[in-house]
Amino acid sequence: KQEVTQIPAALSVPEGENLVLNCSFTDSAIYNLQWFRQDPGKGLTSLLLIQSSQREQTSGRLNASLDKSSGRSTLYIAASQPGDSATYLCAVAPYTGGGNKLTFGTGTQLKVEL
Amino acid sequence: SQTIHQWPATLVQPVGSPLSLECTVEGTSNPNLYWYRQAAGRGLQLLFYSVGIGQISSEVPQNLSASRPQDRQFILSSKKLLLSDSGFYLCAWTYGAGVAYEQYFGPGTRLTVT
């Protein structure tokens, strides 16, 4: 059974700092990995999707990397801003089986302070 | 562009009462549809998914059921709610066709069972 872990559970940084969020998964047979952002009381916003054949994806100040063999992904946020404060979730889709069923980590709660 | 709707946004129901949550997707056809639950202090748990009208797969034995009466409509139901059914319910969609595409989430329904 796939298990996804995110460390740290919470993180507080000053504005402008670069930061890295970590995601690890136990079964490397994944089709893709997706990073989401969730604001309090809201749904999930997709940030980046990395296919299993890719090493990284970039969108603006965000860069996500994937090392499938070691079961790890990182989300790098450059020049953090207070608006980046949210919970960040990673999720993996299995390589086999239908339905694109995601397994989620429990998230990292990020606070960027002025 | 595609849009996903959920209603109601919030709901307070007594134990033993019925439940019906609705999710609709606009701007696409034959999507895969998903129901997730996010309980306090826990990660997202996949409850049901559907790859087509009338095709429902259950991931977790529980007090809930799902139906897909139309291509872009997904309904989550219960005949008698339990206290443990409280949580934040999220609907999601992705392109079908057997490929693991990005998942997109709705705004969620906050359910409190009293």
Side-chain angles (χ1 to χ4, degrees):
Chain A
K1 178 185 175 184
Q2 179 73 271
E3 293 183 1
V4 182
T5 304
Q6 291 187 247
I7 295 174
L11 182 63
S12 182
V13 301
E15 182 180 13
E17 192 162 298
N18 301 327
L19 59 101
V20 174
L21 307 181
N22 297 293
C23 172
S24 61
F25 45 95
T26 55
D27 186 349
S28 62
I30 65 168
Y31 201 96
N32 63 43
L33 184 145
Q34 199 167 349
W35 281 95
F36 295 89
R37 168 188 173 137
Q38 185 176 29
D39 293 287
K42 304 293 185 182
L44 276 65
T45 300
S46 179
L47 298 175
L48 289 164
L49 174 78
I50 310 179
Q51 301 291 354
S52 61
S53 58
Q54 297 177 313
R55 296 287 291 183
E56 65 178 64
Q57 278 281 10
T58 298
S59 175
R61 293 183 294 108
L62 305 179
N63 176 277
S65 67
L66 175 64
D67 184 342
K68 196 175 72 166
S69 62
S70 68
R72 295 174 185 269
S73 176
T74 62
L75 179 66
Y76 174 83
I77 303 177
S80 59
Q81 304 170 358
D84 294 330
S85 298
T87 296
Y88 290 80
L89 297 156
C90 68
V92 296
Y95 187 78
T96 58
N100 188 19
K101 299 176 288 184
L102 295 180
T103 300
F104 280 84
T106 51
T108 294
Q109 189 172 12
L110 172 65
K111 183 175 182 181
V112 181
E113 300 175 319
L114 290 170
Chain B
S1 64
Q2 298 81 22
T3 309
I4 179 168
H5 302 279
Q6 286 188 246
W7 63 88
T10 61
L11 193 58
V12 180
Q13 293 282 95
V15 168
S17 64
L19 173 73
S20 181
L21 303 181
E22 189 166 343
C23 170
T24 59
V25 180
E26 297 178 352
T28 188
S29 59
N30 197 30
N32 287 355
L33 297 171
Y34 308 83
W35 278 112
Y36 293 87
R37 177 170 60 202
Q38 189 174 36
R42 300 179 65 179
L44 270 86
Q45 181 184 40
L46 178 63
L47 302 176
F48 301 94
Y49 73 94
S50 172
V51 298
I53 295 175
Q55 302 179 59
I56 309 295
S57 295
S58 174
E59 292 297 298
V60 181
Q62 61 213 327
N63 185 41
L64 303 169
S65 62
S67 62
R68 184 171 177 174
Q70 300 181 45
D71 181 44
R72 290 169 291 176
Q73 184 185 31
F74 205 23
I75 296 173
L76 184 69
S77 304
S78 174
K79 293 182 179 178
K80 290 185 178 181
L81 284 168
L82 306 172
L83 285 174
S84 58
D85 291 324
S86 293
F88 192 46
Y89 288 82
L90 289 158
C91 181
W93 76 274
T94 188
Y95 291 105
V99 180
Y101 289 105
E102 203 163 352
Q103 277 197 26
Y104 300 95
F105 282 74
T109 294
R110 174 75 58 190
L111 172 66
T112 303
V113 182
T114 60

mmCIF file of all heavy atoms in Angstrom, chain A residues 12-16 82 85 111-114:
data_model
loop_
_atom_site.group_PDB
_atom_site.id
_atom_site.type_symbol
_atom_site.label_atom_id
_atom_site.label_comp_id
_atom_site.label_asym_id
_atom_site.label_seq_id
_atom_site.Cartn_x
_atom_site.Cartn_y
_atom_site.Cartn_z
ATOM 1 N N SER A 12 7.659 27.942 9.307
ATOM 2 C CA SER A 12 7.473 29.390 9.349
ATOM 3 C C SER A 12 8.772 30.045 8.905
ATOM 4 O O SER A 12 9.838 29.739 9.442
ATOM 5 C CB SER A 12 7.093 29.831 10.765
ATOM 6 O OG SER A 12 6.872 31.221 10.807
ATOM 7 N N VAL A 13 8.678 30.929 7.913
ATOM 8 C CA VAL A 13 9.870 31.573 7.359
ATOM 9 C C VAL A 13 9.616 33.056 7.184
ATOM 10 O O VAL A 13 8.466 33.489 7.021
ATOM 11 C CB VAL A 13 10.269 30.946 6.000
ATOM 12 C CG1 VAL A 13 10.562 29.453 6.151
ATOM 13 C CG2 VAL A 13 9.206 31.195 4.954
ATOM 14 N N PRO A 14 10.673 33.874 7.183
ATOM 15 C CA PRO A 14 10.500 35.300 6.898
ATOM 16 C C PRO A 14 10.337 35.522 5.396
ATOM 17 O O PRO A 14 10.835 34.737 4.568
ATOM 18 C CB PRO A 14 11.804 35.911 7.415
ATOM 19 C CG PRO A 14 12.792 34.811 7.346
ATOM 20 C CD PRO A 14 12.043 33.551 7.604
ATOM 21 N N GLU A 15 9.650 36.576 5.056
ATOM 22 C CA GLU A 15 9.435 36.917 3.652
ATOM 23 C C GLU A 15 10.762 37.030 2.921
ATOM 24 O O GLU A 15 11.746 37.551 3.439
ATOM 25 C CB GLU A 15 8.683 38.248 3.566
ATOM 26 C CG GLU A 15 8.356 38.690 2.152
ATOM 27 C CD GLU A 15 7.614 40.012 2.122
ATOM 28 O OE1 GLU A 15 7.580 40.693 3.155
ATOM 29 O OE2 GLU A 15 7.063 40.354 1.051
ATOM 30 N N GLY A 16 10.789 36.544 1.693
ATOM 31 C CA GLY A 16 11.972 36.645 0.851
ATOM 32 C C GLY A 16 12.864 35.419 0.888
ATOM 33 O O GLY A 16 13.732 35.259 0.025
ATOM 34 N N PRO A 82 4.178 36.571 1.687
ATOM 35 C CA PRO A 82 3.083 36.251 2.612
ATOM 36 C C PRO A 82 1.920 35.536 1.925
ATOM 37 O O PRO A 82 1.263 34.698 2.525
ATOM 38 C CB PRO A 82 2.669 37.622 3.152
ATOM 39 C CG PRO A 82 3.929 38.428 3.084
ATOM 40 C CD PRO A 82 4.627 37.975 1.839
ATOM 41 N N SER A 85 1.528 31.697 1.993
ATOM 42 C CA SER A 85 1.076 31.007 3.207
ATOM 43 C C SER A 85 -0.137 30.151 2.897
ATOM 44 O O SER A 85 -1.155 30.644 2.396
ATOM 45 C CB SER A 85 0.735 32.020 4.305
ATOM 46 O OG SER A 85 1.867 32.777 4.671
ATOM 47 N N LYS A 111 3.862 29.153 6.698
ATOM 48 C CA LYS A 111 3.530 30.529 7.048
ATOM 49 C C LYS A 111 4.721 31.409 6.679
ATOM 50 O O LYS A 111 5.839 31.162 7.140
ATOM 51 C CB LYS A 111 3.222 30.669 8.535
ATOM 52 C CG LYS A 111 2.811 32.074 8.943
ATOM 53 C CD LYS A 111 2.409 32.135 10.396
ATOM 54 C CE LYS A 111 1.955 33.538 10.780
ATOM 55 N NZ LYS A 111 1.571 33.626 12.220
ATOM 56 N N VAL A 112 4.476 32.397 5.853
ATOM 57 C CA VAL A 112 5.505 33.349 5.459
ATOM 58 C C VAL A 112 5.200 34.671 6.151
ATOM 59 O O VAL A 112 4.146 35.266 5.935
ATOM 60 C CB VAL A 112 5.556 33.540 3.936
ATOM 61 C CG1 VAL A 112 6.663 34.529 3.567
ATOM 62 C CG2 VAL A 112 5.753 32.207 3.236
ATOM 63 N N GLU A 113 6.133 35.094 6.996
ATOM 64 C CA GLU A 113 5.900 36.270 7.826
ATOM 65 C C GLU A 113 6.575 37.509 7.260
ATOM 66 O O GLU A 113 7.647 37.424 6.650
ATOM 67 C CB GLU A 113 6.403 35.999 9.244
ATOM 68 C CG GLU A 113 5.683 34.817 9.893
ATOM 69 C CD GLU A 113 6.254 34.466 11.250
ATOM 70 O OE1 GLU A 113 7.493 34.487 11.386
ATOM 71 O OE2 GLU A 113 5.460 34.169 12.148
ATOM 72 N N LEU A 114 5.918 38.647 7.486
ATOM 73 C CA LEU A 114 6.471 39.926 7.031
ATOM 74 C C LEU A 114 7.715 40.288 7.842
ATOM 75 O O LEU A 114 7.814 39.960 9.026
ATOM 76 C CB LEU A 114 5.413 41.025 7.193
ATOM 77 C CG LEU A 114 4.222 40.955 6.241
ATOM 78 C CD1 LEU A 114 3.144 41.935 6.672
ATOM 79 C CD2 LEU A 114 4.686 41.263 4.810
#
